C-alpha cells in the first residue's frame, strides 16, 4: 500500500476520526510569508539532518517508541555510573552542597545580583569547569553528576543555576568540546575551567526561534586572517559579565566560500564589543542578561568553531545534551515545591483539619509528589543514557526538557495555591511579618522561562514530531514533496509501499496484549503493557495522519503536538517503572513503586484524553478564529478597558552602526 493509496484507508475502530472536523488546511496559521521562507525551512531541515552523529551505534529508545517499537531492553536494567565516575561525582557533590548551603537566596533576590564572592566561591570549587575534561583543568563530571550539581546550585538560587548552565551547556565549553580544534581547546578551556565566564549569543531582536534569517554578519578581512563582526544580540545570559562569547553570525557566500551561519569564540573585551543593556525579567532576578552590540569587532580566523556554515549544526548538537540542564533545574524546583507544600499542608488547619486532609488539596499534593518522582526518573535516565556516547539521545533530551518544564510549572502553581495568600506573598514580606520565608511565588516566576528558552514548548513539539514522522518522511519524502517529478513520485510510492507492507503488521500485535507479560515489573507490569500497546497505537495514528494529510502533515501542529505529548507521557511512564524496579529492593523501594504506580495511573488518564483529542478536537475552528482575530474581526472584544502600552515599536529597531553609548561596567544594577 502506498501512502497515496492509503489516504482513503479507514483506521481501525477506536482510532478513526468519527466525525472529522479537520478537513481544512493547516489548523495553525502558516508562518508569515517572506521571500525564501520555503528554502529556509528546507535548509534548516537539511542542517538538522546533518547534525546527526554518524557514530551513534545504539537506537534511541524515544524514537523507537514513536515508531511503535517498545525497546525496553535499551533502558532496562536502568543504566548506572561507573565506580570511578561515582566516586569522583559523589565527592564533588559533597563539596558543592557544603558551599551552596552558605549562599543566601534572599540577597540575590533583593539585590537582583549574584554577589562577587559567590561567583568566586563557585570558581574555587571548579564549578565553571564541571564538564571540562580534567586534562584542561576541569572537574570532568559526567552528564549525570553535572545535572546533580546543577540541582544543588539551582536550589541555592535559580539564577545561579542558569548562570552555570548557560556557561557550561551552551557557552564556550560545550561547542569547543564537541567541535573545537586541539589548539582552541588548549587556548580557551583552561581559562574557563579556572572560572572565566562564557555566554552564548544567537538570538537577535528580529530572530528568535527561527535563526535562518540571522542579521549579524562576519565579513572576512582581505588578508583572510580575521573577520569583522557586526550586529546586535539580544537576551544573552551572562552577557553582562562574560569573558568569552560564542557568537553566531552570517558569513558571506561566494569566492569559494560556503558561507552561512558560523560560530565564533569572541573575547568579550575586544574593541567594538558593547554591552548596551542589562535586561530585567519576570523571574531569575540575578541573571546577568545583556543586549550586546558588535561594531567592526576583529575576530581572528582561528576562532571559528567547526568551520564556516557550521554554526546551526553546532548550536543543535550542543543542545542535544545541553538541554538536560533545564530539567535538572525543574526537578530541583519540584523537590522544593513538594517540601514546602508538605510542611504547610500538614500544619495549616482550616475547617477543623490540616488542609492536606481536604481532598481538593490532597489530590494536588499527590500530583506534585508523583510528578516530581517522574521528573527525576526522566532526568536521571536521560543523563545516564547521555553518558554512554553510543546513544542517540536527541529525542530523550528534548522530551525531558519539554516534559519537565511543563510539569514543574504546574507543580509550582499548585504550591502557590496550597499556600493560599502566603503563596502569593514574597519571601521578604513573609520574613518581615515574622514568618518563614518560603519563596513560592519566586519558584513560579523563576520556572516560567524554562518553557520558552533553549527551544520553546512549541518548537520542542515540532522538533520531536519531526523524529516521530521521520521514518515516514524518509520513505515517503518524494511522494509528498510538491516539487518532485511524477516518475520520481511513482518510484518513491513503490518504495513506501514495500516499507509499510512490512511495518504496519508489526503494529497490530505485541507483548503488551499478552496478560502476565513484563511480570518482572511486579505491580507495575500493567503499566508497562499499556506503554507497549499505546506505543503501537501512536505509530498507527501517526501513519493515519501522514496518509491523510501527506505534505500538509508538517503543518498539523496541534495533531503533532498531541502525538508528541503522548510520547512524552509514555517515556515518563517507562522511566518511572524502570527506576522503581531499580530501587525496589532498597530502603525506599516500596514508596518508589507506589509513586511510579500513581504517576502511571495519572499519566494513563492524560494519554487517553490526548488520544481522543487526536481525532475529536476544535483545531479547525481554532484556526478559523485565530485568523479572524488577527484580521481584527473581534476588536470589539478588546473595548471597555484602558489600552496596554501602545507607544513605540513592538520590536526594537537597530542599526549595525556603532553604539552611541560607552562600554558599561561589568556589573549593571537593575532598578
Ligand atoms: C531570560 C532569557 C534568557 C535567554 N538566554 C539566551 C541566551 O543565553 N542566548 C540566546 O541566544 N538566546 C537567549 N534567550 C532567547 C530565547 O532563546 C528566545 O526567547 C527563544 O528562542 C524564543 O524566541 P523568541 O522569544 O524570539 O520567540 P519567537 O521565536 O518570536 O516565538 C514567539 C512564539 O511563537 C512560537 N513559535 C515560533 N515559531 C513557531 C513555529 N514555527 N511553530 C509554532 N510556534 C512557533 C514560539 O514557541 C513562541 O511561543 C533568552 C531569553 C530569555 C527571555
Amino acid at each position: 500500500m502506498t501512502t497515496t493509496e492509503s489516504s482513503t484507508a479507514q483506521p481501525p475502530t477506536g482510532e478513526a476520526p468519527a466525525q472529522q472536523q479537520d478537513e481544512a488546511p493547516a489548523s495553525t496559521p502558516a508562518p508569515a510569508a517572506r521571500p525564501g521562507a520555503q528554502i529556509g525551512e528546507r535548509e534548516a531541515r537539511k542542517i538538522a539532518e546533518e547534525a546527526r552523529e554518524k557514530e551513534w551505534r545504539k537506537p534511541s529508545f524515544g524514537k523507537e517508541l514513536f515508531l511503535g517499537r517498545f525497546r525496553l531492553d535499551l533502558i532496562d536494567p536502568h543504566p548506572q555510573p561507573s565506580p570511578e565516575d561515582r566516586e569522583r561525582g559523589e565527592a564533588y557533590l559533597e563539596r558543592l552542597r557544603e558551599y551552596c548551603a552558605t549562599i543566601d537566596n534572599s540577597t540575590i533576590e533583593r539585590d537582583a545580583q549574584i554577589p562577587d564572592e559567590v561567583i568566586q566561591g563557585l570558581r574555587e570549587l571548579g564549578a565553571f569547569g564541571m564538564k571540562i575534561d580534567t586534562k584542561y583543568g576541569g572537574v570532568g563530571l559526567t552528564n549525570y553528576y553535572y545535572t546533580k550539581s546543577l540541582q544543588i546550585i539551582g536550589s541555592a538560587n535559580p539564577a545561579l543555576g542558569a548562570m552555570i548552565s548557560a556557561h557550561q551547556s551552551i557557552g564556550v565549553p560545550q561547542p569547543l568540546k564537541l567541535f573545537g580544534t586541539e589548539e582552541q581547546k588548549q587556548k580557551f578551556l583552561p581559562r574557563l575551567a579556572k572560572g572565566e565566564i562564557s555566554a552564548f549569543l544567537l538570538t537577535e531582536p528580529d530572530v528568535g526561534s527561527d535563526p535562518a534569517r540571522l542579521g549579524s554578519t562576519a565579513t572576512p578581512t582581505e588578508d583572510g586572517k580575521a573577520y569583522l563582526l557586526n550586529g546586535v544580540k539580544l537576551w544573552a545570559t551572562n552577557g553582562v559579565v562574560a569573558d568569552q562569547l560564542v557568537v553566531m553570525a552570517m558569513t558571506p557566500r561566494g569566492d569559494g566560500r560556503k558561507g552561512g551561519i558560523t560560530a565564533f569564540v569572541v573575547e568579550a573585551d575586544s574593541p567594538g564589543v558593547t554591552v548596551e543593556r542589562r535586561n530585567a525579567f519576570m523571574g531569575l532576578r540575578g541573571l546577568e542578561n545583556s543586549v550586546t552590540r558588535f561594531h567592526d569587532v576583529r575576530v581572528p580566523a582561528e576562532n571559528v568553531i567547526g568551520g564556516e556554515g557550521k554554526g546551526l549544526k553546532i548550536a543543535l548538537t550542543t543542545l542535544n545534551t545541553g538541554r538536560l540542564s533545564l530539567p535538572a533545574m525543574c526537578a530541583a524546583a519540584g523537590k522544593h515545591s513538594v517540601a514546602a507544600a508538605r510542611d504547610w499542608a500538614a500544619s495549616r488547619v482550616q475547617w477543623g483539619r490540616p488542609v492536606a486532609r481536604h481532598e481538593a488539596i490532597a489530590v494536588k499534593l499527590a500530583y506534585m509528589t508523583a510528578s516530581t518522582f517522574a521528573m527525576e526518573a526522566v532526568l536521571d535516565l536521560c543523563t545516564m543514557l547521555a553518558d554512554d556516547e553510543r546513544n542517540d539521545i536527541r529525542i530523550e533530551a528534548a522530551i525531558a526538557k519539554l516534559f519537565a518544564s511543563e510539569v514543574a510549572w504546574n507543580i509550582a502553581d499548585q504550591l502557590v495555591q496550597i499556600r493560599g495568600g502566603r503563596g502569593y506573598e514574597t519571601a521578604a514580606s513573609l520574613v518581615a511579618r515574622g514568618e518563614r520565608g518560603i519563596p513560592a511565588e519566586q519558584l513560579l516566576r523563576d520556572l516560567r522561562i524554562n518553557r520558552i528558552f533553549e527551544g520553546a514548548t512549541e518548537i520542542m513539539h515540532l522538533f520531536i514530531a519531526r523524529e516521530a514522522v521521520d521514518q515516514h518522511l524518509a520513505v515517503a519524502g518524494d511522494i509528498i514533496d510538491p516539487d518532485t517529478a511524477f516518475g520520481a513520485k511513482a518510484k518513491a510510492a513503490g518504495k513506501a509501499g514495500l516499507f509499510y507492507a512490512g511495518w504496519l503488521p508489526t503494529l497490530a500485535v505485541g507483548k503488551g496484549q499478552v496478560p502476565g507479560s513484563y511480570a518482572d515489573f511486579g505491580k507495575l507490569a500493567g503499566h508497562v503493557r499499556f506503554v507497549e500497546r499505546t506505543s503501537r497505537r501512536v505509530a498507527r495514528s501517526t501513519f493515519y495522519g501522514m496518509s491523510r494529510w501527506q505534505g500538509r502533515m508538517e503543518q498539523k501542529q496541534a495533531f503533532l503536538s498531541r502525538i508528541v505529548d503522548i510520547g512524552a507521557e509514555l517515556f515518563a511512564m517507562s522511566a518511572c517503572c524502570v527506576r522503581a524496579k531499580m530501587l525496589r529492593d532498597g530502603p525506599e523501594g516500596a514508596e518508589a513503586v507506589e509513586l511510579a504506580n500513581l504517576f502511571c495511573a495519572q499519566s494513563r488518564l492524560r494519554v487517553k484524553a490526548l488520544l481522543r483529542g487526536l481525532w475529536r478536537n476544535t483545531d479547525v475552528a481554532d484556526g478559523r478564529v485565530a485568523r479572524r482575530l488577527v484580521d481584527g474581526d473581534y476588536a470589539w472584544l478588546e473595548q471597555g478597558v484602558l489600552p496596554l502600552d501602545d507607544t513605540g515599536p513592538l520590536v526594537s529597531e537597530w542599526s549595525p552602526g556603532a553604539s552611541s553609548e560607552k562600554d558599561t561596567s561589568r556589573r549593571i544594577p537593575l532598578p
Side-chain angles (χ1 to χ4, degrees):
M1 181 169 55
T2 67
T3 43
T4 319
E5 286 161 356
S6 65
S7 63
T8 52
Q10 281 302 307
T13 319
E15 290 166 3
Q19 202 185 355
Q20 293 292 356
Q21 303 182 23
D22 36 14
E23 288 294 349
S27 56
T28 310
R34 59 182 165 78
Q38 178 80 358
I39 293 163
E41 257 183 70
R42 285 180 187 205
E43 271 184 359
R45 192 181 308 162
K46 198 164 153 250
I47 291 161
E49 286 300 317
E50 283 170 8
R52 283 160 199 243
E53 296 292 335
K54 303 284 180 283
E55 60 270 25
W56 282 321
R57 273 162 282 157
K58 284 182 165 181
S60 146
F61 172 77
K63 179 162 183 172
E64 293 289 303
L65 205 55
F66 282 108
L67 293 173
R69 297 192 287 246
F70 181 52
R71 290 288 310 275
L72 191 58
D73 58 301
L74 294 170
I75 59 166
D76 178 49
H78 197 290
Q80 297 287 336
S82 72
E84 309 82 68
D85 289 340
R86 190 188 296 271
E87 195 184 339
R88 184 206 305 254
E90 293 295 337
Y92 189 75
L93 292 184
E94 193 55 47
R95 290 168 56 213
L96 197 61
R97 212 173 280 125
E98 199 180 315
Y99 175 71
C100 288
T102 67
I103 298 171
D104 181 16
N105 171 60
S106 64
T107 308
I108 298 175
E109 191 62 8
R110 184 196 63 210
D111 299 347
Q113 204 143 67
I114 298 165
D116 287 338
E117 60 270 22
V118 170
I119 295 178
Q120 187 55 26
L122 287 171
R123 238 178 224 137
E124 283 163 19
L125 276 168
F128 291 90
M130 283 193 292
K131 273 181 86 182
I132 295 176
D133 202 308
T134 49
K135 77 174 176 188
Y136 302 110
V139 183
L141 293 185
T142 58
N143 288 296
Y144 174 75
Y145 281 106
Y146 165 64
T147 51
K148 290 284 149 205
S149 304
L150 270 186
Q151 284 189 301
I152 293 173
I153 299 171
S155 65
N157 175 268
L160 201 49
M163 171 184 251
I164 297 290
S165 149
H167 159 82
Q168 188 79 78
S169 298
I170 55 176
V172 179
Q174 194 65 9
L176 276 198
K177 178 180 174 177
L178 295 172
F179 295 94
T181 62
E182 189 50 41
E183 290 73 37
Q184 288 174 330
K185 289 178 188 174
Q186 282 180 10
K187 181 172 176 194
F188 297 110
L189 293 181
R191 286 167 50 193
L192 294 160
K194 281 197 195 112
E196 286 198 3
I197 301 174
S198 68
F200 173 81
L201 289 76
L202 171 66
T203 306
E204 299 177 359
D206 212 18
V207 177
S209 307
D210 168 19
R213 293 177 306 167
L214 219 57
S216 295
T217 56
T219 313
T221 55
E222 273 186 15
D223 59 8
K225 289 186 178 158
Y227 292 81
L228 289 183
L229 192 59
N230 283 287
V232 172
K233 293 291 181 179
L234 182 60
W235 295 325
T237 297
N238 298 346
V240 181
V241 292
D243 305 280
Q244 298 178 30
L245 315 171
V246 176
V247 182
M248 297 289 175
M250 207 61 102
T251 51
R253 292 177 210 274
D255 287 342
R257 290 179 179 273
K258 196 171 160 239
I261 299 174
T262 304
F264 297 87
V265 181
V266 179
E267 302 281 358
D269 62 359
S270 307
V273 178
T274 310
V275 174
E276 293 200 332
R277 280 195 57 75
R278 180 177 170 210
N279 305 305
F281 301 100
M282 168 186 190
L284 299 181
R285 280 176 51 78
L287 213 61
E288 299 282 356
N289 184 287
S290 69
V291 175
T292 302
R293 179 182 291 269
F294 298 89
H295 178 64
D296 283 345
V297 178
R298 193 181 163 86
V299 185
E302 59 267 22
N303 284 20
V304 170
I305 313 175
E308 277 191 15
K310 294 280 190 283
L312 216 47
K313 174 177 174 163
I314 289 169
L316 287 171
T317 313
T318 299
L319 277 173
N320 286 343
T321 50
R323 238 179 223 125
L324 291 168
S325 297
L326 299 190
M329 307 285 288
C330 292
K335 285 168 185 283
H336 268 170
S337 302
V338 167
R342 175 170 63 86
D343 268 352
W344 179 251
S347 62
R348 175 69 167 176
V349 176
Q350 292 291 289
W351 305 85
R353 56 171 94 158
V355 291
R357 303 264 306 281
H358 294 295
E359 195 177 59
I361 299 298
V363 294
K364 290 184 179 53
L365 291 170
Y367 167 81
M368 293 169 73
T369 315
S371 303
T372 297
F373 177 83
M375 272 195 290
E376 192 159 52
V378 166
L379 174 70
D380 287 0
L381 178 62
C382 290
T383 52
M384 285 197 202
L385 287 173
D387 283 333
D388 179 348
E389 285 177 358
R390 294 170 303 169
N391 285 319
D392 168 7
I393 56 117
R394 285 168 309 150
I395 293 287
E396 285 76 0
I399 286 178
K401 195 273 179 186
L402 170 71
F403 175 78
S405 59
E406 293 292 327
V407 165
W409 169 253
N410 290 336
I411 287 176
D413 184 48
Q414 302 215 342
L415 168 66
V416 168
Q417 193 68 19
I418 288 171
R419 280 192 45 88
R422 286 170 179 81
Y424 193 65
E425 189 173 5
T426 66
S429 174
L430 287 163
V431 170
R433 291 198 294 105
E435 292 193 11
R436 200 182 298 173
I438 304 292
E441 58 81 39
Q442 186 197 337
L443 270 169
L444 194 64
R445 286 187 289 105
D446 287 349
L447 278 167
R448 187 59 182 82
I449 187 59
N450 293 310
R451 297 168 63 203
I452 297 173
F453 62 11
E454 292 189 22
T457 287
E458 294 75 17
I459 304 302
M460 288 291 89
H461 276 139
L462 298 183
F463 177 86
I464 300 166
R466 168 155 298 287
E467 290 300 321
V469 297
D470 176 63
Q471 187 80 59
H472 303 271
L473 289 176
V475 292
D478 280 352
I479 308 173
I480 62 175
D481 188 338
D483 297 341
T484 306
F486 179 76
K489 268 193 207 275
K491 207 168 150 200
K495 195 173 138 207
L498 276 178
F499 168 74
Y500 288 119
W503 181 59
L504 277 178
T506 68
L507 299 180
V509 282
K511 207 170 154 186
Q513 285 156 314
V514 181
S517 58
Y518 302 110
D520 52 335
F521 280 85
K523 69 193 279 194
L524 301 177
H527 299 309
V528 181
R529 290 197 290 273
F530 175 86
V531 175
E532 195 281 335
R533 289 196 304 273
T534 312
S535 153
R536 284 183 283 111
R537 187 165 169 186
V538 167
R540 290 197 301 267
S541 299
T542 311
F543 170 73
Y544 301 138
M546 187 78 187
S547 315
R548 177 172 188 166
W549 293 302
Q550 300 196 15
R552 286 187 293 131
M553 176 76 160
E554 284 191 322
Q555 290 166 357
K556 303 300 289 180
Q557 293 189 349
F559 175 87
L560 289 173
S561 69
R562 289 185 195 102
I563 291 279
V564 168
D565 285 340
I566 296 167
E569 294 281 358
L570 298 183
F571 183 83
M573 284 177 72
S574 308
C576 284
C577 291
V578 171
R579 184 178 184 83
K581 186 172 169 233
M582 169 180 74
L583 297 175
R584 73 182 164 199
D585 296 325
E588 290 100 25
E591 288 76 20
V593 172
E594 194 179 2
L595 292 183
N597 194 21
L598 178 62
F599 176 80
C600 289
Q602 293 174 346
S603 181
R604 284 169 75 156
L605 294 177
R606 292 191 291 268
V607 167
K608 283 175 187 161
L610 285 162
L611 283 167
R612 266 196 308 279
L614 285 178
W615 308 110
R616 289 166 195 267
N617 53 58
T618 58
D619 295 351
V620 172
D622 294 346
R624 195 166 44 238
V625 168
R627 278 191 294 277
R628 293 197 64 188
L629 173 77
V630 172
D631 289 346
D633 292 353
Y634 312 121
W636 49 267
L637 189 63
E638 299 161 16
Q639 302 303 313
V641 290
L642 297 174
L644 291 167
D645 183 9
D646 55 3
T647 54
L650 279 171
V651 175
S652 54
E653 284 157 22
W654 60 277
S655 66
S659 168
S660 56
E661 292 175 35
K662 287 215 173 78
D663 233 342
T664 41
S665 89
R666 275 170 59 85
R667 304 308 292 269
I668 307 173
L670 289 178

